Amino acid sequence: MNTRARSSAPPGKAQEQRLREVWRTPSGWRYWTSVNNVDVGVWYAGAAFAFMLFAGVLALIMRAQLAVPDNDLVSADFYNQAFTLHGTVMMFLFAVPIFEAIAIFLLPPMLGARELPFPRLGAFGFWSFLLGGVFVCGSIFFNAAPSSGWFMYPPLATDEKLSGIGADIWLLGLSFIEVASIAAAVEIIVGIMKCRAPGMRINLMPLFAWYLLVVAGMILFAFPPLIAGDILFELQRMFDWPFFDPARGGDPLLWQHLFWIFGHPEVYIIFLPAIALMAMIVPTFAQRPIVGYSWIVLAAVGTGFLSFGLWVHHMFTTGLPQISLAFFSAASAAVAIPTAVQIFVFIATMLAGRVVLSIPMLFGAGSIATFVIGGLTGVMVALAPFDWQAHDTYFVVGHLHYVLIGGMLFPVVAGIYYYFPLINARHLSVRWGKIAFWLMFTGLNVAFFPMHLTGLRGMPRRVFTYPSDLGWDWLNLMSTAGAYIFAAGVLIVVADIVRPKHGDPKSALNPWNAGTLEWISEPEEMWGVRSIPIVESRYPLWDQKNLVADVNAGRFYLPDVEEGRREGMVTSVLDAKPEQVIRVPATGGITMIAAVALAAVFLTLTFKWWLAASLAGFATLATILYWLWTGTAEIPKKAEREAGLGLVLPLYTSGPASVGWWAMFITMTGNSTGFASLVFGYFFYWTIHADFTAGATGPGLTWPLISVALFVLAWGTMMLARSLNANGSVGLMRTILVTSSVLTIAAAAAALAGPWLHRMDPVAHVYPAIVWVLVGWTVVHAGLGVIMQFYCLARSLAGRLTPTHDMDLRNTCLYWHFLALMAAISGAIIGLFPEVGG
């Protein structure tokens, strides 16, 4: 096939109208349950900004309290709740979700696609994020907000008398919110890898897609350790299991390790998408391709990789060995190298082109200037001797806000001004934008630069008042004034966004003369591209003649919707060769119902309503099963579809060619990171104690080995069932599926038998507690495996799983690869290492 050929006769208005009807935004109830990427992206961004404004109000209250010495504007308890929620909301409910929103909104048209592959998953993530955010933020209105800091250090946060219910709200609420982040990461990774336009090889991807791919991968490795820590934390608070109690073998430092294994990559999870926006804006306004495309991609990957070696950067004052301090100090300084490469690439691109002055570039320039200041102070706190002096002072507060506002918020505002015409074909106000920038830039420096001096003068973080004779008063007054100036600039941006724009002139289709594909489509249309183009360049709108006209005339792939279905194209991972026409599900309320049911699980667990939590858990499971039954792995009425330009593609694939297989692989990779974090906890205790078991009886070797053997047999029978199904032996396959489920149940029972028969009391000591956690993790995943086995059996009996349409079975087998490996590792650890440690 000649991929450069185009259809000579473009589809007419009737085909375009059919396309519009299939992808249109519904009204009424269906609007609020819509799964269109445009809607979800806008909702996501709107909710994230609402949470940011809420956190900003809390910050202004805190600054008002600190404006003068010996102030009693608010109580100490309210101040503790305010600063805890401020940090929590900014990090968990704004900084990460805003980029997930931007990704869901921008990636489909940028990749030349109609939609990301799992629109229902994106909608589920949004509702989870919204409900979790309301739950966490609303707690302050009932005097029940968390008050132990956004990092929740034990033993303060594990003591229910000191922290109250607020710590449970923080732990369970954020665990729910992290579900949304991981769901978004799965959709983003699969969308970038498998839904690019034909010809968009991996080395031709827009830099925004590269950055989001790196960040989504980082989420898979950074968020699960925090979820694992949350599990240990909540088990101690709910059932008195002593994971962080030194008197019973626990150690509070384990929480710090697990939290900062998440926490420091989190900074770069926030920073890299902001750089991604800059990587789109700078070439446009320099009117030339980015200088050093390969260098900036390598720098992004390098930054993501190095960020996981820096977590002890936050623990220099905890008494770690000198060799650890030296290693992590060097790693903390080394991450400045790939970061600097990215900054220099932008400067080189601007110098090589002819920069067009604009509001996005104004905020971009302010971002570079302020982020460099934050980076320099970051190198300072990376040096252990200096960090010993500045740790937990306002110097760190100043550094953090320079990095986050300069490196993240300014690029976001630049991106809003740059991409706003894609929402309603109108620009934001240039005049208002200039006023907003100078207020924000001035306010940032007036507010946070004095904090460096306050910190060097010894003012600790998280104090709600101070005496007047310490020399902090005038610096704090300056910081408070700067905070209110900055807030005025933010309010101008918000007012500019929400003001009616019906009288404003409409912008051109590509108002900035950008070179990437997101500027092809009309903002009013609800699909990513009119027809899916062939991409031959990193900046196709600059390099491919007549591309916009040909795409919008329907001269490329999938110009029509013959059967009234939402269709897109799946391509190969590296070369973006067409592999399948995918049909994404239509709108519906099932994702909202699933999110509400899951929210009920976390809410009822917070208040220890066990029966209600169980009922909500069953409701969640039933809802998700219905969602999967009706929305995935549909058997098409015909095997193939003519995709345009003489290309015929299948409508159904399974295994590594399918997006579902990749989604399962990516999900289980993140799941394995959580399991690895629990294993890390096990060996952490084993390392810090001369006698890990403290004389307690272990589960022995027999039952763990029996469990591992049964899990391996269950895995083998699953592989046999897959083979039998592929060979047409459907009846025998069903029998083997039932056999495998029986073996799985027996394996889970054997795993429980070891600690149960040896009467290992998880309350008495950390050793039996961590053994029970590893066993419980394995058993819960075995239970999910059994559910998946019976789901496949039901699909087969209903005629929805056949020898040629076996996506469900193949995905379940992939799950079993991970489950068998986790079971083997867990059994080996708890069966062997007590003997070694004891």
Side-chain angles (χ1 to χ4, degrees):
M1 181 192 69
N2 179 7
T3 59
R4 296 176 181 270
R6 297 184 179 90
S7 300
S8 57
K13 291 294 181 182
Q15 293 93 326
E16 186 173 345
Q17 181 60 29
R18 284 199 299 268
L19 194 63
R20 181 177 292 110
E21 289 172 356
V22 167
W23 288 91
R24 74 184 186 276
T25 302
S27 58
W29 161 252
R30 291 190 66 207
Y31 174 79
W32 296 105
T33 58
S34 170
V35 294
N36 186 278
N37 66 285
V38 174
D39 295 324
V40 172
V42 173
W43 298 347
Y44 230 133
F49 264 96
F51 289 131
M52 181 203 71
L53 294 176
F54 170 77
V57 170
L58 295 179
L60 294 178
I61 293 173
M62 290 188 291
R63 285 314 319 169
Q65 167 66 22
L66 293 172
V68 295
D70 301 311
N71 200 355
D72 60 356
L73 177 67
V74 297
S75 67
D77 183 58
F78 180 86
Y79 187 88
N80 288 342
Q81 294 184 43
F83 78 69
T84 299
L85 273 187
H86 171 74
T88 297
V89 170
M90 285 301 191
M91 298 298 281
F92 293 97
L93 293 173
F94 173 66
V96 175
I98 190 64
F99 289 114
E100 293 169 345
I102 293 170
I104 291 172
F105 177 77
L106 278 183
L107 276 177
M110 188 179 288
L111 298 174
R114 293 254 172 84
E115 176 67 279
L116 293 176
F118 308 112
R120 288 187 171 185
L121 184 63
F124 172 76
F126 163 73
W127 290 116
S128 298
F129 156 72
L130 181 64
L131 293 170
V134 170
F135 175 53
V136 172
C137 293
S139 60
I140 198 169
F141 299 105
F142 301 93
N143 197 33
S147 58
S148 304
W150 75 279
F151 35 74
M152 282 288 155
Y153 281 174
L156 173 63
T158 50
D159 190 328
E160 291 194 58
K161 294 180 181 177
L162 295 175
S163 57
I165 199 174
D168 296 306
I169 291 173
W170 189 93
L171 290 161
L172 294 171
L174 290 188
S175 295
F176 183 42
I177 293 165
E178 286 153 17
V179 170
S181 295
I182 293 174
V186 171
E187 185 170 28
I188 288 168
I189 293 174
V190 179
I192 293 172
M193 294 178 69
K194 296 292 294 178
C195 295
R196 304 193 306 274
M200 188 183 283
R201 301 189 305 274
I202 200 163
N203 65 327
L204 297 183
M205 287 198 311
L207 286 172
F208 184 85
W210 262 114
Y211 273 96
L212 265 294
L213 184 62
V214 171
V215 167
M218 291 174 67
I219 288 174
L220 291 182
F221 289 97
F223 278 60
L226 181 59
I227 295 175
D230 288 350
I231 291 172
L232 302 183
F233 210 114
E234 202 54 48
L235 285 173
Q236 177 161 337
R237 285 183 57 86
M238 284 188 175
F239 306 112
D240 196 30
W241 291 18
F243 297 109
F244 310 110
D245 181 4
R248 292 177 287 168
D251 195 323
L253 276 184
L254 176 60
W255 171 258
Q256 290 199 35
H257 281 292
L258 292 176
F259 183 86
W260 290 116
I261 287 173
F262 149 81
H264 203 88
E266 161 86 345
V267 173
Y268 294 94
I269 288 171
I270 293 168
F271 163 66
L272 287 176
I275 291 291
L277 286 172
M278 294 292 294
M280 305 305 293
I281 293 170
V282 169
T284 295
F285 291 105
Q287 286 296 288
R288 61 148 295 139
I290 197 84
V291 171
Y293 176 94
S294 299
W295 282 104
I296 198 169
V297 169
L298 290 173
V301 174
T303 302
F305 179 79
L306 287 174
S307 69
F308 284 91
L310 309 182
W311 80 89
V312 176
H313 171 98
H314 298 268
M315 300 171 61
F316 283 165
T317 60
T318 58
L320 295 170
Q322 290 293 326
I323 189 170
S324 297
L325 298 182
F327 173 82
F328 286 101
S329 180
S332 300
V335 78
I337 298 172
T339 304
V341 168
Q342 296 166 79
I343 300 298
F344 284 129
V345 163
F346 296 146
I347 295 173
T349 302
M350 289 188 283
L351 291 175
R354 183 172 294 177
V355 177
V356 179
L357 298 179
S358 64
I359 299 301
M361 282 302 292
L362 189 61
F363 276 97
S367 167
I368 293 175
T370 51
F371 180 77
V372 167
I373 295 173
L376 291 174
T377 55
V379 173
M380 293 170 68
V381 296
L383 303 175
F386 181 85
D387 186 76
W388 291 337
Q389 310 304 316
H391 186 75
D392 263 351
T393 70
Y394 262 81
F395 186 94
V396 178
V397 178
H399 154 71
L400 178 65
H401 284 83
Y402 263 92
V403 170
L404 293 183
I405 295 175
M408 176 264 174
L409 185 58
F410 275 11
V412 166
V413 177
I416 290 171
Y417 276 87
Y418 180 65
Y419 280 118
F420 197 82
L422 285 179
I423 298 176
N424 68 354
R426 288 170 174 84
H427 288 283
L428 294 176
S429 169
V430 174
R431 182 182 178 187
W432 287 26
K434 289 179 180 178
I435 296 172
F437 168 77
W438 287 113
L439 285 173
M440 291 174 69
F441 187 79
T442 303
L444 166 66
N445 288 282
V446 173
F448 297 106
F449 190 82
M451 290 184 184
H452 296 87
L453 305 177
T454 314
L456 291 176
R457 290 189 173 197
M459 183 174 178
R461 303 167 70 178
R462 299 179 292 277
V463 293
F464 88 108
T465 191
Y466 53 92
S468 59
D469 57 353
L470 297 177
W472 303 342
D473 43 0
W474 66 275
L475 291 169
N476 274 297
L477 186 59
M478 282 184 63
S479 291
T480 299
Y484 279 84
I485 294 170
F486 182 85
V490 173
L491 285 179
I492 288 176
V493 174
V494 173
D496 197 8
I497 292 171
V498 300
R499 67 178 174 85
K501 301 176 181 64
H502 303 300
D504 294 0
K506 296 186 70 172
S507 69
L509 183 61
N510 184 3
W512 311 113
N513 189 30
T516 43
L517 286 177
E518 68 270 26
W519 297 100
I520 280 184
S521 305
E522 294 282 353
E524 290 86 352
E525 307 300 355
M526 292 296 106
W527 57 81
V529 286
R530 169 68 178 84
S531 58
I532 297 175
I534 298 164
V535 175
E536 303 167 356
S537 163
R538 290 170 184 160
Y539 296 92
L541 300 193
W542 288 344
D543 300 334
Q544 294 180 233
K545 275 183 113 181
N546 301 319
L547 180 67
V548 175
D550 289 336
V551 166
N552 290 332
R555 295 194 177 101
F556 285 105
Y557 295 116
L558 299 181
D560 191 14
V561 281
E562 298 173 352
E563 300 172 41
R565 305 295 300 273
R566 296 184 175 196
E567 293 179 331
M569 186 172 285
V570 174
T571 54
S572 60
V573 171
L574 295 179
D575 296 327
K577 294 181 179 178
E579 291 183 336
Q580 178 196 358
V581 171
I582 185 175
R583 292 176 168 176
V584 297
T587 57
I590 190 65
T591 53
M592 181 192 290
I593 297 170
V596 170
L598 186 58
V601 173
F602 286 97
L603 177 64
T604 51
L605 285 176
T606 302
F607 296 99
K608 301 180 182 179
W609 300 336
W610 307 119
L611 178 59
S614 300
L615 294 175
F618 282 117
T620 303
L621 177 62
T623 305
I624 291 175
L625 288 175
Y626 177 80
W627 166 4
L628 295 173
W629 187 275
T630 58
T632 62
E634 176 191 4
I635 298 178
K637 295 180 181 178
K638 58 183 181 181
E640 296 177 325
R641 187 223 200 274
E642 203 282 320
L645 305 183
L647 180 66
V648 177
L649 293 174
L651 289 169
Y652 188 103
T653 58
S654 62
S658 71
V659 292
W661 187 94
W662 280 96
M664 176 64 76
F665 180 84
I666 293 164
T667 302
M668 292 308 297
T669 298
N671 183 277
S672 299
T673 306
F675 173 70
S677 302
L678 297 176
V679 172
F680 170 83
Y682 189 98
F683 284 104
F684 175 83
Y685 295 128
W686 180 70
T687 302
I688 64 173
H689 295 300
D691 181 9
F692 170 34
T693 64
T697 303
L701 188 59
T702 302
W703 285 109
L705 288 184
I706 291 174
S707 174
V708 170
L710 290 171
F711 271 116
V712 171
L713 282 174
W715 168 80
T717 51
M718 280 301 302
M719 300 308 106
L720 177 60
R722 184 185 67 185
S723 177
L724 290 170
N725 183 71
N727 292 328
S729 302
V730 176
L732 187 54
M733 179 272 292
R734 294 170 181 169
T735 302
I736 295 298
L737 265 181
V738 174
T739 303
S740 183
S741 64
V742 172
L743 288 170
T744 305
I745 295 170
L752 292 168
W756 178 265
L757 294 176
H758 288 83
R759 304 191 179 203
M760 299 182 71
D761 182 5
V763 177
H765 191 264
V766 76
Y767 167 59
I770 195 67
V771 168
W772 273 110
V773 165
L774 288 178
V775 169
W777 181 277
T778 304
V779 170
V780 167
H781 283 77
L784 292 175
V786 171
I787 292 172
M788 294 170 72
Q789 289 167 331
F790 279 103
Y791 178 82
C792 289
L793 180 63
R795 296 280 287 188
S796 177
L797 292 171
R800 298 192 177 200
L801 191 157
T802 70
T804 55
H805 300 90
D806 59 350
M807 181 190 298
D808 300 302
L809 186 57
R810 284 182 175 270
N811 291 352
T812 300
C813 287
L814 178 60
Y815 174 88
W816 265 91
H817 293 327
F818 285 91
L819 174 57
L821 183 60
M822 285 191 293
I825 293 172
S826 178
I829 288 173
I830 66 175
L832 296 174
F833 276 91
E835 300 300 325
V836 178

